[in-house]
Amino acid sequence: MDRIEAQLIIDILKTGSRYYRPLDREFSSEDEGFFIWYRPESDDFVVRRYETDDWAVHRPGCDEEMVVSESVLMRLFTEYGRDNALWPLYDTNRYRFDFDTPQPRKTIGQAIRESMHASDLGSLRCSHCASRDVEPTEYSSDVNPARARRYVHLAVECTRCGRTSVYEWDD
């Protein structure tokens, strides 16, 4: 691999994407191979090599991880080394990146809103200041099939006044 390609890979890693290079074996799984990611807090790179069966050095499995600087990573990409565990990083065009940015985790309130019955969404308001700027904290909806009634429990926290409102009803 030449220095231009190696520098492009390093620049992509610094954007938060992860590097993945599969093993050279025909029957290796997707979780085996070389993984590289950037740690901005310490300005270094983590190089991980994972194999379930390391047939090259005749040992059962391999899970090695090392932290390297940008200059050492450049050397791993551009110079054919003596370390037989890392020599595949020198090869070109056998890698890919995960350009998908991770989605932020949903808050409890967002998860509750998505699970709420459509007719209950109108009850998301504060009983103290009548604000609709609330975050649901508890929700349950149970159906009694004998009486064909639905019982609802809803608790919301107002983001304006900071107080909690609790509602219970049946319909």
Side-chain angles (χ1 to χ4, degrees):
M1 178 182 309
D2 62 353
R3 294 188 69 75
I4 296 170
E5 183 180 8
Q7 188 60 50
L8 284 172
I9 291 172
I10 290 172
D11 291 342
I12 290 171
L13 288 171
K14 286 187 174 183
T15 65
S17 293
R18 299 180 131 218
Y19 171 98
Y20 169 67
R21 184 188 190 289
L23 296 175
D24 290 330
R25 292 182 291 177
E26 184 177 341
F27 300 108
S28 64
S29 67
E30 284 291 315
D31 59 342
E32 293 182 301
F34 292 90
F35 305 88
I36 304 173
W37 61 93
Y38 177 66
R39 296 190 309 189
E41 64 275 358
S42 56
D43 193 33
D44 55 12
F45 297 87
V46 178
V47 179
R48 181 174 183 235
R49 176 178 166 246
Y50 177 72
E51 295 183 47
T52 55
D53 181 29
D54 189 6
W55 58 273
V57 288
H58 307 291
R59 60 181 179 188
C62 173
D63 190 3
E64 297 175 316
E65 191 172 287
M66 62 185 200
V67 178
V68 297
S69 66
E70 184 174 340
S71 60
V72 173
L73 185 61
M74 178 67 83
R75 198 168 341 129
L76 288 174
F77 283 142
T78 58
E79 297 176 10
Y80 186 82
R82 285 177 271 167
D83 186 1
N84 67 345
L86 296 173
W87 70 265
L89 292 177
Y90 175 79
D91 289 343
T92 187
N93 295 329
R94 292 249 5 252
Y95 50 82
R96 60 181 178 253
F97 297 96
D98 63 345
F99 287 112
D100 299 331
T101 57
Q103 298 296 320
R105 299 191 82 175
K106 292 181 185 175
T107 64
I108 293 172
Q110 289 171 333
I112 290 174
R113 279 182 201 263
E114 290 177 3
S115 69
M116 286 179 70
H117 192 272
S119 64
D120 298 338
L121 291 172
S123 301
L124 290 172
R125 61 176 178 74
C126 178
S127 63
H128 305 286
C129 67
S131 170
R132 293 230 176 249
D133 195 15
V134 295
E135 191 71 20
T137 55
E138 297 175 19
Y139 175 75
S140 65
S141 175
D142 298 320
V143 176
N144 183 346
R147 296 186 182 173
R149 299 194 69 102
R150 190 172 68 95
Y151 300 97
V152 180
H153 169 80
L154 174 66
V156 297
E157 184 176 315
C158 183
T159 55
R160 282 197 184 157
C161 68
R163 296 168 79 181
T164 301
S165 301
V166 178
Y167 303 103
E168 292 183 322
W169 70 90
D170 60 343
D171 54 9

